[in-house]
Amino acid sequence: MLCLCKLCFLPRSQSESFNIQYPNPIHVAYNLLSLTSECRKRAAAKHLIERYYHQLTEGCGNESCSNSWCASSVGFNRMDNNAAAVKALELYKVNAKLCDPHPSKKGTASAYLESSAHSNSACSNRKMNHKDVHSVRDNFKDVNYLTEEKIYEILDICGEKEDYSPLIRVIGRVFSSAEGLVQSFRRSKPHTKEELKSLQGKDEDKDEDEKEAAACSATAMEEDSPASSSSSRLGEGSSGENDVQKLAPDEVSVDIEAVRRVYERLLSNEKIEAAFLNALVYLSPNVECDLTYHNVYSRDPNYLNLFVIVMENSNLHSPEYLEIALPQFCKAMSKLPLAAQAKLARLWSHYSAEQIRRMVETFQQLITYKVISNEFNSRNLVNDDDAVVAATKCLKIVYYANVLGGDLDMEHNEEEDEEPIPESSELTLQELLGEERRNKKGPRVDPLETELGIRTNDCRRPLVPFEEFVNEPLNEVLEMDKDYTFFKVETENKFSFMTCPFILNAVTKNLGLYYDNRIRMYSERRITVLYSLVQGQQLNPYLRLKVRRDHIIDDALVRLEMIAMENPADLKKQLYVEFEGEQGVDEGGVSKEFFQLVVEEIFNPDIGMFTYDERTKMFWFNPSSFENEGQYTLIGIVLGLAIYNNCILDVHFPMVVYRKLMGKKGTFRDLADANPVLYQSLKELLEYEGSVEEDMMITFQISQTDLFGNPLMYDLRENGDKIPVTNENRKEFVAQYAEYMLNKSVEKQFKAFRRGFHMVTNESPLKYLFRPEEIELLICGSRNLDFLALEETTEYDGGYNRDSRIIKEFWETLHSFGEEQKRLFLQFTTGTDRAPVGGLGKLKMIIAKNGPDTDRLPTSHTCFNVLLLPEYSSKEKLRERLLKAITYAKGFGML
C-alpha cells in the first residue's frame, strides 16, 4: 500500500506498527485532490475532505450511527491517520454520506470544522462530563512542546484508559519537530521533593472544574500546529521561553535530569519507544538541512538543546536505531559549527564516566555495525561511508568531553625552544622549484582542541580510558595509504581518520607515520637531485654515515654534529649506514644494528651522561654530567632518527621523559615511576597526621650527590635552610622538590636533548597522532614477546611449509628457549630484540630453505626479517647450530 505522507521515511508497514501521527495528512490528501478536481473550489474541497477525515478518525458522536464510514458506527475498523487521509479522498470522490455532528460531539475535538468562536460558545454553555473531558485531552493537539509535567499528565490519562496512542502521537509530533524539541524540557526554578513527588504521582486530586476549564481551552486552540522544522521561525521570538537567561559556556537551557526521568519512564513501553525511533528518522534530515543551509545555531544557541535531549535516549545503540535513525542523526550532529561542538563537549564533560561510556558505546556500535555489514576495500573505502564518518566526528566531541572531564594538568608546560630550529639552506631553491617547505606553521592542531583550549596531553587520567575509543574493526578495513593521502591533501570532499587519531590503534598510526616519513625522505631525495642539477654539484641523496665499529660514538656523533650545524634538513633524508671493513649493504638491517650499538655506548654509566637506577631499571639525565649540551643534542637526534627510520631502540626512560618531549613538565605524580622511593617518602610526608615540623625537622633545603659521591645542597626557596617544613607548607615543599628533581636540575641537558629530537621530528605528525605512552611504544617497541603469535604469522619459502618436519622441529626448539635466548634469536633474525608496535604478530618473518643437511650455521637477512635455515637431519643438530648462530652474531658479510 502506498503511504501518502511525504514526510514518512519508513516503509508503510513499519510506520503503521509504530502508530506515529505524521503532520497534516489532511493537507497531503488535499494536495493530491488538485490533480483530479481542478474545477472545484479549493476551500470547499478542503472543508469536505477534512469532514470525511474527522468522521473516519473521531466519528460523529452518535453511538447508534449506521454510516459504515463513520468511526462512531458499530463494527468500524479503526485506521491510522495516513490511511484515514487516503480514505477521505476516496469518499470525497464518490460523494459518500457525511454524518452531521451529534450533539454530544459539539465543543470537542470535532470542532475542528467549526469556528473558534462557536467552539468557545459551546464550551461555555454546556456542562461536560468526565468522559468528555478525557475525550478532549486524548488528542492534545495543542501540545507543541513538552515538559516533564505534561508528559506525566498525558501518561496518567493514557494509563487510566489503557490506550497510549495519544501520548504516542504527541511524542511523534514534538520529537519530529526541531522547533518543538528545542522548546521542550526547559529549565525552571528547582522543584522541591514534594513537587517532584506530585509530578510523578497520579493527578487524582484535580478538581472537575479545573479539568473542564482545561478542556474548554484545549478546544479553543488551533489544532494540528505544524510540527515540521522551520529554521525561519527558530530564534525569532517564537516563544517567550526562548528568551532564557545568559548561559555559561558549559550550560544549556535543558533540564537534563527531567529528560532522564522522562526517558526512564517511557522507554519501558515498546510502542512509545517506537515513537521516539520513528520521530528521529523524520527529525534528522530537517536538522541537517537547518545546520547546513540556514545557520540556525548562530541565531538560536538553544538549538543545541535538541542534541542534548536526543543523546539522553539510552536505547540509541539498540539494533532498531542502527539502520536508519542513528546514522541520519549522526550526519546532522556532524554539521554542528565548531562553537556548538565545543559547548557540547564542555557540557558532557560534567557527565559521569558511565554516561560518557554509554555515548561512546552508541557511536562505536554504529561504526562497528557499518564496518562489518559492508565489504570495504581499496575500491570501496570506509572513508566514503557517510554513517561511519559522521559517527566518528560525533565520537570526537565525546572524546574531548572525556578529556575535559578527566584529571587535568593545564599549568605545567615546558617552555618552547628559545632558538628556532634552523631551516634548510635549500629553502629558496625549493620555493623556486615549487617545493615549498611543508607545515611551516608547525605541527597540525585539531580545531576543536584549539576552540576548547586544551590538549590531550593535558589529561593525566580521563573519565573513560582512551583505549575504549579505539575501534578495531575500523582499523582492520582502513586503507592507510589512501587515508594518509586524504590527511595531507586536506580536502573537504574526503575524510581522513588520521584527523581523529583517538579511534586508531598504535599499529595503524605507526603505519601513517611510516608513510609520512617515507614520503618526506623521497621528497628530500628529489630536492637534492634538482639542487645538484641547478648547482652542478654532486650531492648525496641519503644521510650516509660511515663508522668504525670500535669508534662508533666518535664517528657517528661527529658526523651528525656537522650535519646539524650545516644543513639540518639532511637529517630528514633516508639513513644509510656503512660499517668500515664490512660488506653489509644497508637495506634497514645495518641501521638497526647501528642504533643498537650507539644506544649501548651512550647509556653506558661509565660515560656519565645518564644515571641508572637498579631498582627501576631506568635511565635518567645526569645533572652533574661533564658532557656539554651538544652531546645531549646529538642523543636527541639519534632518538629522532630511530623513529624517522622505523627502528626500535632498547632505551629505558621513565614515562615522564616522553611527557616532557610532548611539552609537559614533570610533577610529583611522575616521581612514581621515575623515582618510586622518593615518591613514597614524599607521599608519606603529605599523609603524616602528626606535627611535621616537630617530628621530622626538615627544611626547604635538599641535598644530592655528584658523580664522585660528594653532597650538593640546593635551596628550594631562598634561605631554604632556615625555612622549616610544616603541616601548612608541606604541599609546596613536595611540589618544589618534584619540580627540582624532574625539571630544574636537568633543564640544560633536557632542553638540548629535546632540541635534537625536534630537529628530526618537527615536521612530523608525531605529536598530533600519539600520546606519551604510545611514543614510548614507538621508540622501544613492545616488551611482551609472544612467539606463538610470531609462529602464526610467519611465512615460508624455498620449499618449506608449515607442515615440514624441519619447521615443526624449529618451532619446538624455539619455544623451549629461555627468555634471553629468545631475545638473541630476535636480534639475529630482525636486528633488534624488541617486538614492533602491536607485538610479534605484526612482524612479517620468513623462513627460507638454504640447502640440504650441512654443517653450516643458519644465516639471516635482518633488513627483510628472513631466516635462511638448512634442512638439518635431526632436531638435536638444529638446536646446536641455531644456538651457536644466535650467540656469536656480530658483524655483516656478503653471502
Side-chain angles (χ1 to χ4, degrees):
M1 181 182 285
L2 174 66
C3 178
L4 292 180
C5 180
K6 65 182 179 180
L7 304 174
C8 182
F9 285 83
L10 293 179
R12 173 71 177 155
S13 59
Q14 197 169 346
S15 64
E16 282 181 339
S17 67
F18 293 153
N19 283 325
I20 299 302
Q21 178 181 353
Y22 290 92
N24 300 325
I26 303 174
H27 298 171
V28 177
Y30 170 65
N31 290 337
L32 293 178
L33 167 71
S34 62
L35 300 176
T36 59
S37 307
E38 290 292 333
C39 59
R40 295 184 181 273
K41 292 183 179 180
R42 295 197 174 202
K46 178 179 178 182
H47 179 77
L48 286 173
I49 293 175
E50 287 172 343
R51 290 189 61 188
Y52 279 119
Y53 173 77
H54 284 280
Q55 178 176 294
L56 291 168
T57 56
E58 299 179 10
C60 64
N62 184 2
E63 296 181 359
S64 59
C65 181
S66 60
N67 187 351
S68 60
W69 296 114
C70 178
S72 297
S73 65
V74 179
F76 178 79
N77 293 324
R78 291 279 179 179
M79 57 183 71
D80 68 13
N81 294 342
N82 295 323
V86 175
K87 180 56 69 176
L89 178 59
E90 294 175 358
L91 294 177
Y92 168 79
K93 289 180 182 179
V94 299
N95 198 22
K97 178 182 177 181
L98 262 175
C99 298
D100 292 325
H102 192 268
S104 65
K105 288 292 286 184
K106 289 184 179 179
T108 66
S110 64
Y112 183 91
L113 307 177
E114 309 293 336
S115 68
S116 59
H118 179 78
S119 299
N120 289 334
S121 175
C123 276
S124 60
N125 293 332
R126 186 177 64 263
K127 178 74 174 177
M128 300 174 64
N129 59 33
H130 189 73
K131 183 177 180 180
D132 291 330
V133 175
H134 275 209
S135 178
V136 173
R137 291 196 172 193
D138 282 355
N139 294 284
F140 294 99
K141 294 181 179 179
D142 61 309
V143 178
N144 297 316
Y145 64 90
L146 291 171
T147 63
E148 185 179 15
E149 294 87 347
K150 179 60 69 177
I151 287 283
Y152 293 153
E153 177 189 342
I154 302 173
L155 189 61
D156 289 342
I157 294 173
C158 293
E160 289 177 8
K161 296 188 66 177
E162 297 183 355
D163 178 13
Y164 291 93
S165 57
L167 177 59
I168 290 172
R169 285 194 290 271
V170 170
I171 291 174
R173 181 167 63 250
V174 175
F175 273 76
S176 62
S177 163
E179 185 177 6
L181 205 53
V182 166
Q183 296 180 32
S184 297
F185 304 107
R186 289 295 181 90
R187 278 191 294 141
S188 58
K189 63 179 182 179
H191 295 296
T192 64
K193 292 183 179 179
E194 292 74 14
E195 288 174 331
L196 284 176
K197 187 174 181 181
S198 65
L199 285 174
Q200 297 179 5
K202 290 191 174 181
D203 192 16
E204 295 176 348
D205 299 326
K206 270 205 170 184
D207 177 292
E208 281 297 319
D209 292 333
E210 289 178 340
K211 293 186 177 181
E212 247 182 8
C216 290
S217 64
T219 59
M221 296 185 70
E222 181 181 350
E223 295 186 353
D224 283 321
S225 297
S228 61
S229 171
S230 175
S231 59
S232 63
R233 294 173 62 189
L234 282 170
E236 295 180 6
S238 58
S239 168
E241 291 188 57
N242 261 349
D243 301 325
V244 294
Q245 68 274 20
K246 189 173 181 181
L247 299 170
D250 57 352
E251 285 185 333
V252 289
S253 55
V254 176
D255 187 345
I256 298 175
E257 291 301 323
V259 175
R260 289 172 182 167
R261 289 191 295 267
V262 167
Y263 273 127
E264 187 176 359
R265 288 195 64 177
L266 298 185
L267 289 178
S268 58
N269 186 310
E270 290 184 4
K271 292 183 178 179
I272 297 178
E273 181 189 0
F276 288 115
L277 168 65
N278 214 22
L280 186 60
V281 171
Y282 168 56
L283 171 72
S284 299
N286 292 327
V287 173
E288 183 181 359
C289 180
D290 281 345
L291 291 170
T292 305
Y293 301 108
H294 301 297
N295 198 24
V296 65
Y297 176 77
S298 63
R299 290 186 286 111
D300 183 11
N302 287 320
Y303 200 82
L304 204 61
N305 295 1
L306 181 156
F307 297 95
V308 176
I309 293 172
V310 172
M311 284 304 299
E312 288 300 324
N313 186 340
S314 59
N315 285 358
L316 280 180
H317 66 283
S318 61
E320 295 81 7
Y321 286 84
L322 295 180
E323 188 64 39
I324 299 176
L326 188 55
Q328 288 187 348
F329 179 72
C330 288
K331 287 176 65 178
M333 185 186 285
S334 67
K335 301 296 183 182
L336 280 170
L338 194 62
Q341 294 182 33
K343 186 160 188 173
L344 266 184
R346 292 189 185 101
L347 170 70
W348 288 341
S349 69
H350 297 291
Y351 284 17
S352 67
E354 290 72 22
Q355 291 161 338
I356 293 290
R357 182 174 282 108
R358 176 182 60 79
M359 290 193 286
V360 172
E361 290 173 352
T362 296
F363 296 124
Q364 291 284 34
Q365 190 92 343
L366 175 58
I367 294 170
T368 301
Y369 169 74
K370 288 296 183 180
V371 167
I372 64 177
S373 60
N374 292 280
E375 294 184 2
F376 293 113
N377 50 46
S378 58
R379 294 184 177 180
N380 180 29
L381 297 175
V382 68
N383 306 68
D384 295 327
D385 189 290
D386 291 339
V388 175
V389 169
T392 303
K393 290 179 179 178
C394 295
L395 188 61
K396 180 194 282 188
I397 302 175
V398 184
Y399 174 79
Y400 280 107
N402 183 53
V403 171
L404 279 170
D407 186 1
L408 294 179
D409 175 16
M410 306 275 293
E411 300 176 357
H412 302 90
N413 298 315
E414 288 280 359
E415 298 177 0
E416 296 295 329
D417 293 323
E418 296 178 1
E419 299 179 18
I421 295 172
E423 288 283 357
S424 168
S425 59
E426 302 167 10
L427 185 61
T428 304
L429 178 65
Q430 289 181 29
E431 292 175 340
L432 289 173
L433 297 173
E435 294 285 342
E436 293 190 17
R437 182 67 60 183
R438 301 159 300 280
N439 295 336
K440 286 185 179 180
K441 296 181 180 179
R444 184 195 296 244
V445 179
D446 191 280
L448 185 55
E449 202 173 80
T450 304
E451 181 75 16
L452 292 168
I454 193 173
R455 298 178 300 171
T456 299
N457 293 329
D458 293 332
C459 185
R460 301 298 300 250
R461 187 177 65 251
L463 289 174
V464 174
F466 290 126
E467 290 74 19
E468 294 191 26
F469 286 85
V470 176
N471 189 290
E472 292 296 345
L474 173 67
N475 281 266
E476 291 175 6
V477 300
L478 184 60
E479 298 287 336
M480 203 58 199
D481 54 343
K482 305 285 196 311
D483 192 84
Y484 172 77
T485 303
F486 303 150
F487 177 73
K488 295 301 289 184
V489 174
E490 297 186 63
T491 61
E492 294 183 0
N493 299 328
K494 290 292 186 179
F495 175 80
S496 169
F497 288 95
M498 286 180 70
T499 60
C500 299
F502 57 83
I503 204 170
L504 305 177
N505 58 34
V507 177
T508 305
K509 287 189 280 191
N510 186 39
L511 187 57
L513 184 65
Y514 173 80
Y515 286 130
D516 186 81
N517 293 339
R518 288 293 164 179
I519 288 174
R520 186 165 285 110
M521 289 177 186
Y522 298 151
S523 176
E524 293 293 343
R525 193 182 306 170
R526 188 173 77 244
I527 293 300
T528 301
V529 172
L530 292 173
Y531 193 95
S532 62
L533 291 175
V534 173
Q535 297 291 324
Q537 300 176 4
Q538 189 65 32
L539 300 176
N540 197 329
Y542 297 96
L543 174 59
R544 187 180 294 273
L545 295 179
K546 187 172 183 179
V547 296
R548 295 167 292 175
R549 187 175 287 270
D550 52 349
H551 294 84
I552 191 167
I553 294 295
D554 295 337
D555 294 349
L557 296 190
V558 167
R559 175 65 179 148
L560 289 174
E561 185 176 16
M562 292 176 60
I563 293 172
M565 292 173 60
E566 295 175 0
N567 195 6
D570 282 355
L571 296 173
K572 297 181 177 66
K573 295 178 179 178
Q574 184 175 347
L575 180 64
Y576 188 93
V577 178
E578 179 182 351
F579 283 103
E580 191 173 290
E582 299 182 18
Q583 298 173 307
V585 177
D586 190 5
E587 292 290 342
V590 180
S591 295
K592 291 178 185 178
E593 178 155 355
F594 163 76
F595 282 117
Q596 182 190 2
L597 295 174
V598 168
V599 166
E600 287 178 359
E601 289 288 335
I602 287 176
F603 289 94
N604 187 336
D606 295 337
I607 294 181
M609 296 184 69
F610 295 91
T611 59
Y612 182 68
D613 191 328
E614 289 288 349
R615 295 182 296 268
T616 62
K617 311 297 182 185
M618 297 286 183
F619 288 95
W620 184 248
F621 298 89
N622 187 350
S624 55
S625 172
F626 294 126
E627 300 292 341
N628 58 38
E629 295 176 24
Q631 295 293 93
Y632 286 98
T633 300
L634 296 176
I635 296 171
I637 291 175
V638 169
L639 207 66
L641 285 175
I643 293 178
Y644 193 61
N645 290 272
N646 203 34
C647 292
I648 295 172
L649 300 181
D650 186 19
V651 298
H652 303 272
F653 281 132
M655 184 57 64
V656 65
V657 171
Y658 303 104
R659 283 183 54 79
K660 285 167 72 68
L661 281 175
M662 301 293 273
K664 301 299 295 184
K665 285 186 176 182
T667 63
F668 168 63
R669 293 171 60 172
D670 293 304
L671 284 174
D673 66 322
N675 194 332
V677 174
L678 177 60
Y679 173 80
Q680 189 61 35
S681 299
L682 294 176
K683 184 179 179 183
E684 290 174 0
L685 171 64
L686 291 174
E687 297 171 351
Y688 187 68
E689 296 180 356
S691 173
V692 173
E693 182 177 4
E694 295 178 2
D695 298 345
M696 297 191 178
M697 294 185 293
I698 53 179
T699 66
F700 273 77
Q701 186 180 73
I702 61 174
S703 66
Q704 277 189 304
T705 55
D706 62 13
L707 284 173
F708 306 103
N710 300 319
L712 298 174
M713 310 306 293
Y714 179 80
D715 287 343
L716 298 178
R717 289 172 57 177
E718 189 175 353
N719 298 321
D721 59 328
K722 299 177 183 178
I723 303 175
V725 177
T726 65
N727 291 53
E728 289 73 27
N729 64 16
R730 58 183 171 182
K731 286 187 178 180
E732 180 189 355
F733 172 79
V734 169
Q736 292 285 352
Y737 203 144
E739 168 71 12
Y740 173 75
M741 293 297 295
L742 298 177
N743 302 311
K744 289 185 177 179
S745 65
V746 295
E747 184 175 11
K748 291 183 179 179
Q749 293 87 339
F750 180 78
K751 277 190 173 181
F753 172 78
R754 184 183 62 188
R755 179 175 172 79
F757 182 78
H758 286 167
M759 279 184 178
V760 185
T761 63
N762 64 321
E763 294 179 353
S764 168
L766 188 72
K767 293 178 70 173
Y768 180 83
L769 294 176
F770 296 91
R771 302 189 305 275
E773 56 271 25
E774 293 174 321
I775 296 287
E776 180 188 30
L777 186 64
L778 199 64
I779 295 174
C780 305
S782 174
R783 298 178 182 178
N784 181 28
L785 300 182
D786 185 359
F787 279 83
L788 291 175
L790 178 63
E791 182 179 357
E792 288 296 320
T793 58
T794 296
E795 299 176 0
Y796 304 94
D797 195 13
Y800 285 158
N801 58 55
R802 189 178 298 273
D803 297 321
S804 300
R805 174 194 61 83
I806 186 69
I807 295 300
K808 290 181 179 179
E809 292 177 350
F810 167 79
W811 287 114
E812 290 173 4
T813 301
L814 186 59
H815 290 316
S816 69
F817 282 174
E819 187 72 18
E820 186 60 34
Q821 291 173 326
K822 287 180 178 179
R823 289 191 178 277
L824 287 174
F825 170 77
L826 272 184
Q827 178 70 45
F828 173 75
T829 310
T830 68
T832 177
D833 63 352
R834 309 296 289 267
V837 177
L840 288 180
K842 299 298 180 181
L843 185 67
K844 301 301 180 184
M845 190 175 80
I846 299 174
I847 300 179
K849 187 174 181 179
N850 193 24
D853 183 28
T854 179
D855 289 335
R856 294 180 61 189
L857 298 174
T859 53
S860 66
H861 296 302
T862 55
C863 304
F864 309 105
N865 304 329
V866 176
L867 175 66
L868 301 176
L869 186 66
E871 192 172 6
Y872 295 114
S873 57
S874 67
K875 184 177 179 180
E876 291 73 20
K877 186 174 183 180
L878 167 65
R879 181 184 181 89
E880 184 267 331
R881 296 278 89 187
L882 185 59
L883 277 174
K884 182 170 288 189
I886 64 178
T887 305
Y888 302 100
K890 290 285 183 182
F892 292 89
M894 297 297 289
L895 298 177

